[in-house]
Structure formats: structure tokens, C-alpha cells
Amino acid sequence: MAAADTREVILEARELTREFDGVKALDRFSFKLHRGEVLGLLGANGAGKTTAMNCLLGLTLPTSGELEAFGKPLHAHRIEILRRANFSSAYTALPGNLLVWQNLLVFARIYGVPNPKQKIAELLDLLEIPHLDKRVTGQLSAGESTRVNLVKAFLNDPELLMLDEPTASLDPDIADKVRKVVRKVQRERSIGILYTSHNMRDIEEVCDRVIFLHKGKIVCEGTPAQIMARSSSNSLEDVFIKIARDGEIVDEPEKEKAS
Amino acid sequence: MSFRIISALVLRYLFLYTRTPMRLVELVFWPLVDLVVWGNVTVFIQKNSDAQFGGFILFFLGAMILWDILFRAQQGVAISFLEDVWTRNLLNVFVAPVRTAEYLSATFAVGFLRILVTVVVMSLVSWIGYSFNIFQLQWWLLPFFLNLMVFGWALGMISTALILRWGQAAESLAWAVPFFIQPVVCVFYRVEDMPAWAQPIAWCFPATPIFEGMREVMVTGVMSWNHLWLAGGLNVIYLALAGWLFAWVLNLTRKRGLLTKFATQ
Ligand SMILES: Nc1ncnc2c1ncn2[C@@H]1O[C@H](COP(=O)(O)OP(=O)(O)OP(=O)(O)O)[C@@H](O)[C@H]1O
Ligand SMILES: [Mg+2]
């Protein structure tokens, strides 16, 4: 186990369970996210990652369990918490019929960003897309719109950021740039990030700590290095495949004992 | 309630209307078609019947313009919500610190702006084409406008709740809801012209006393205060019930986990 993290806990789930028609998409899922920490949520398709994020954003109510952000119960303080958080996913979009700057200006106003125009310009520069500001949002390529979504997600200087597959559909070059930007901003501002991805490069480079979910349950947890060591794998990809197929990582020493 | 957030959401709709002028055409085109068809029909009837039908054209055109206040207010609310669904923007809005009341208020404001566009154009055309001056309703126009708009908002929230509950399959309801009630709120005829059993139903809707009042004002120059009080009172009830229904359905979709499916489908 890693040494206890003494940083402030900004997001915590206790025994979070979410059923859909009797099937548990999340099964007593508990975790803590600290300020300035990037926590990766991994697992096969349908493992429950998006469900977890939706519960944490207050979009889906949990069947049971407790959620807290910044030390306050999520549902009673949803608006207050959302002011300090943000979200981006490859599966949502900003209104396609508006220009990029129009969309960003609307969200900057919603979040009450001081000097919105300047802030937007800074973030567009940071993500290396200043040339996109007068483009029609709906005509952007997938990679371009992902980066515009990230600008939206950084607008309110969130302390807590949820990114659901932010690098899906990005080419390796852009994915690399996005990872570096996320990491840079995250370090500078000490943002806590919950990050899901199917791209193991992402996880290895960006995440401080990883949780593997399988059918809604945590099957293992730790830094990428610890997890690889524990399962005697050379890469997270191997760990991922083992978990997806067997539902657990069987520790090699135990396997030897058994045989 | 934050005015900043409401105005930001309204700004989004204003951007939308400036980006896609076709939406403005829709606001003006159908009302004009209606106006011209009914205007001509009443002119025809007037020419071919005796003098007692003289007031017809006033009743018809007045009713049509007032009906559009209700209809545009309802559309403003329902279509604004659908815009967010169509553009997959709903999640962005729901993960932003936007209260339900702020979101709804923004759609109300859009409803108000839509009414202004339609009503101004219709009033001008009916005045130029049929010498019908909507301002003959004088100051009564103000309570008529307010009451019909508020009832339109309530109907808009009900339509939106139905769409939230049944998904985009229920989209056509966004257009249909006002027309479900059109026959019973006596837009184009008097309550006493309805079958006796239907009359009590008619009085359950705040639009009915307004349309009755409009005809009273056209004939006598005043309307009964009782009608006005009835409309106002019913509106308060409808607005509260519709708001409650919307909030309840929104919570239900959260419980069932449908909000996210719905917003990204
Ligand atoms: N609204 C819903 N109604 C019914 N079942 C749902 C709903 N949302 C999610 N599920 C189910 O819950 C399970 C977990 O889904 P979830 O979207 O959280 O997976 P995921 O880990 O994000 O997968 P992916 O990697 O494919 O994005 C799946 O079996 C899914 O079918
Ligand atoms: Mg997912």
C-alpha cells in the first residue's frame, strides 16, 4: 500500500451502489480523491466507469451509498460543488450551430469567469487551438472538438475535474499534447482529476493512482507501477486484459503455490 | 436565482437565432399564413352575409394574435429545451452550476422574445391588410398578454416534462400540447356556444376567461374583473403545478439514470 496521502480529500464515495433493472453497474464502490491527485478509473466496456462519474456529477442518483465533495454531501450542495468542478467527455458536445467563441463565452458567463474573453484566449492558446475560435463548432474534427471541450472544462479553474475518455478519437500526436497539457495545468493548479480511458499510455503518463473496476467492483488499486509489479505484468495493458478475462489478477506467487 | 446565469443561457439562444436565421422565418411564416387564410375567410363571410356578422373579423384576428402569444410562449420553453437535446448540450448544462429555476427562467425569457417577434409582425400585417388594430383592446392588452404568456410557459414546462420522461419519441408533443387544449379554451367561439357538459371544463383553463374577455372588450369596451381574477388565479396554480411536475420528472430521470442516456443518445 502507498503511504497514506495527507492531502485534503476533495471527493469521496462510500459504498456507492447503482443498480439498473436489478443489475449492479456499481457495487459498493468506495474511493477517495485528494487535491492535486489524478486518479484513473479503468475497466472493460460496461465495467461501471461512466456510471460512477455520472453519480459523482449528480446526473444519476445512486441506489445507495454516500457521496461527498469538498467535505459536503453531494446532493444537498450540488450547485455549490459544481461551481468548483467541471467535466468533459468525448461523448458530449457544445452546441454545433454556434461558433466556438460563442459557446465558450456562454459557459464562461455561466461559470461567472472574470474577464471571460481573456480567459478564453489564454486557454485556446494553451491547447494550441487559437485559430479555431471563429469556426463553427459542429464542423470541427473530433480531435478539435475534444480540445474545445477541454477549454470549456478549464474555464472556471476547477479544483475537481472529471474527464471521461478525454483522448478518445485523438491521433497519437494530439493525444500526447492533450495529456501533457492536462498534466501541466493539473500540476500548476493542483487540480484533482478523475480520469477514465481505454488508452493505457494515457493512464501510465497521467495518473498517479489507478482503480480497476470489474462489473462494478474494485478489483485492484494502486500506482501503475505497484499494480504491474503485483500482477507480474510488464504493462498496464497486460493487467487490463487479465482482469477483463478472469475478473481478477491472480498473484503469480499464489499461482505457483497452487500448482 | 442568478441573473448572470439566466442571461448567459439567454445569450446562447440569441447566438443561436443570429446563427440560424431560418429559425426566425419559422416564427413569422406560419402565423402569417394563418392570418392571411383566416383574414380572407372572414372577409368573405362578411361580404356575403348581413351586417350582424360585422364583428367577426375582429374576433377572429384578435383571437389568432392572442392565441399566438400562448403558443409562442409554450414553444419558447419546449423548443429551447429541445435545442439542448438536439445539440447534445444538455449534459454540459446539467453539470454546470445551473439551478432548475434558472434554466426554466431562461426558457421563459426566450418565450417572451419569441412572442414579441411574432406578435409585432402579426399586428402590423392585420392592421395593414385587414384594418384590424390590436390596440383597440387598449390597456386590456397588457393583462391578456401576461396571462396568456404565463399559461404558455406552464404548458411549455408540461411538454418538456413529457419529453424528459418519454424521450425524443415524445418530441411531437412539444408541438401538439397547445392544440390539445385549443378546442376547450374557446379561442374562436364563446363558452356558451359549447355543449353544456363541456362548459365547466372550459372554465378550468386560464386562457378561457381571457378569450371571453377579449370578445367582451371588443363589444363593450370593458371586461369583467371576475374573468381577470379567474385567469390570474388559475395561472398561479398552473404555473406551480407545471413547475412541480418538471422538477419531479427531472428527479425521476436522475433516479432512473435516464438523464445521461437521454442527453448523449
Ligand atoms: N441508464 C441505464 N439503464 C440501464 N443500464 C445502464 C444505464 N447506464 C448504464 N447501464 C449499464 O451499466 C453498466 C455500466 O455501464 P457504464 O457506462 O458505466 O460502463 P463503462 O465502464 O463506462 O463502459 P465503457 O468503457 O464502454 O464506456 C453497463 O452494463 C450498462 O449497460
Ligand atoms: Mg464509459
Side-chain angles (χ1 to χ4, degrees), chain B residues 204-226:
Chain B
C204 295
F205 297 94
T208 310
I210 295 299
F211 287 109
E212 287 286 287
M214 175 201 76
R215 287 180 286 266
E216 279 177 296
V217 171
M218 283 176 172
V219 175
T220 66
V222 287
M223 101 176 248
S224 89
W225 280 96
N226 283 346

Side-chain angles (χ1 to χ4, degrees), chain B:
Chain B
M1 289 269 269
S2 151
F3 180 73
R4 188 197 75 231
I5 290 181
I6 298 171
S7 67
L9 290 169
V10 172
L11 179 68
R12 152 170 158 51
Y13 297 114
L14 291 183
F15 279 149
L16 192 68
Y17 284 94
T18 56
R19 290 282 313 149
T20 44
M22 270 315 282
R23 279 164 226 264
L24 283 174
V25 173
E26 170 253 333
L27 272 186
V28 173
F29 182 75
W30 291 118
L32 281 187
V33 169
D34 267 357
L35 198 69
V36 170
V37 168
W38 286 104
N40 288 336
V41 168
T42 42
V43 168
F44 169 78
I45 295 174
Q46 226 169 334
K47 274 188 188 154
N48 293 285
S49 57
D50 34 12
Q52 64 160 331
F53 286 111
F56 259 20
I57 189 151
L58 303 184
F59 287 177
F60 264 116
L61 296 184
M64 213 170 306
I65 295 175
L66 291 193
W67 168 255
D68 248 72
I69 294 175
L70 188 162
F71 183 60
R72 297 294 144 184
Q74 182 270 350
Q75 295 279 286
V77 176
I79 302 292
S80 300
F81 172 78
L82 279 172
E83 293 282 3
D84 281 327
V85 175
W86 291 330
T87 55
R88 299 197 301 156
N89 187 42
L90 210 54
L91 275 199
N92 287 320
V93 175
F94 279 112
V95 300
V98 177
R99 290 190 174 82
T100 308
E102 288 160 348
Y103 185 78
L104 289 173
S105 302
T107 66
F108 292 169
V110 174
F112 176 74
L113 295 174
R114 288 175 69 107
I115 296 174
L116 281 191
V117 174
T118 306
V119 169
V120 166
V121 171
M122 282 180 97
S123 306
L124 273 178
V125 170
S126 61
W127 186 47
I128 294 166
Y130 306 98
S131 341
F132 170 79
N133 184 359
I134 187 79
F135 290 105
Q136 67 174 278
L137 294 174
Q138 296 176 348
W139 290 110
W140 293 104
L141 200 54
L142 218 59
F144 290 174
F145 187 102
L146 266 179
N147 273 293
L148 292 171
M149 178 171 72
V150 170
F151 187 47
W153 290 346
L155 290 180
M157 284 193 279
I158 293 170
S159 324
T160 311
L162 294 173
I163 301 167
L164 253 181
R165 175 63 189 78
W166 279 289
Q168 274 172 284
E171 229 171 70
S172 53
L173 285 177
W175 306 94
V177 164
F179 293 104
F180 289 152
I181 59 132
Q182 195 183 38
V184 286
V185 297
C186 303
V187 183
F188 297 108
Y189 37 81
R190 295 167 304 178
V191 176
E192 60 182 272
D193 299 328
M194 291 181 81
W197 60 266
Q199 293 183 12
I201 302 176
W203 289 115
C204 295
F205 297 94
T208 310
I210 295 299
F211 287 109
E212 287 286 287
M214 175 201 76
R215 287 180 286 266
E216 279 177 296
V217 171
M218 283 176 172
V219 175
T220 66
V222 287
M223 101 176 248
S224 89
W225 280 96
N226 283 346
H227 281 166
L228 211 50
W229 283 119
L230 179 65
L234 283 172
N235 257 329
V236 171
I237 296 173
Y238 271 85
L239 201 61
L241 280 180
W244 173 83
L245 179 75
F246 182 85
W248 181 74
V249 171
L250 187 62
N251 200 42
L252 193 73
T253 50
R254 283 205 171 103
K255 263 191 201 142
R256 300 201 176 170
L258 292 175
L259 192 55
T260 56
K261 290 282 165 230
F262 182 60
T264 54
Q265 73 190 349

Side-chain angles (χ1 to χ4, degrees), chain A residues 197-255:
Chain A
S197 175
H198 288 301
N199 179 341
M200 295 306 124
R201 270 295 280 283
D202 259 22
I203 301 293
E204 280 163 34
E205 259 182 55
V206 178
C207 298
D208 303 314
R209 194 158 59 91
V210 173
I211 287 177
F212 265 99
L213 277 179
H214 184 72
K215 295 191 178 156
K217 282 192 172 132
I218 297 182
V219 284
C220 82
E221 193 175 349
T223 65
Q226 283 169 343
I227 288 178
M228 283 187 273
R230 212 181 312 158
S231 64
S232 320
S233 307
N234 298 320
S235 67
L236 276 184
E237 200 148 319
D238 282 344
V239 182
F240 188 102
I241 292 169
K242 276 186 195 169
I243 290 176
R245 295 194 182 151
D246 304 333
E248 56 184 339
I249 40 169
V250 183
D251 285 338
E252 298 293 325
E254 281 178 27
K255 239 189 204 169

Side-chain angles (χ1 to χ4, degrees), chain A residues 20-21 23-25 43-52 91 164-165 198 213, chain B residues 256-258 260-261:
Chain A
F20 292 110
D21 312 313
V23 179
K24 285 181 176 156
N45 291 130
K49 306 178 295 291
T50 299
T51 305
Y91 303 106
D164 197 2
E165 303 193 34
H198 288 301
L213 277 179
Chain B
R256 300 201 176 170
L258 292 175
T260 56
K261 290 282 165 230

Side-chain angles (χ1 to χ4, degrees), chain A residues 7 30 45 48 53 60 72 139 162 165 209 219 252:
Chain A
R7 288 174 293 186
S30 301
N45 291 130
M53 229 173 235
T60 300
K72 290 178 178 154
Q139 291 171 4
M162 314 228 190
E165 303 193 34
R209 194 158 59 91
V219 284
E252 298 293 325

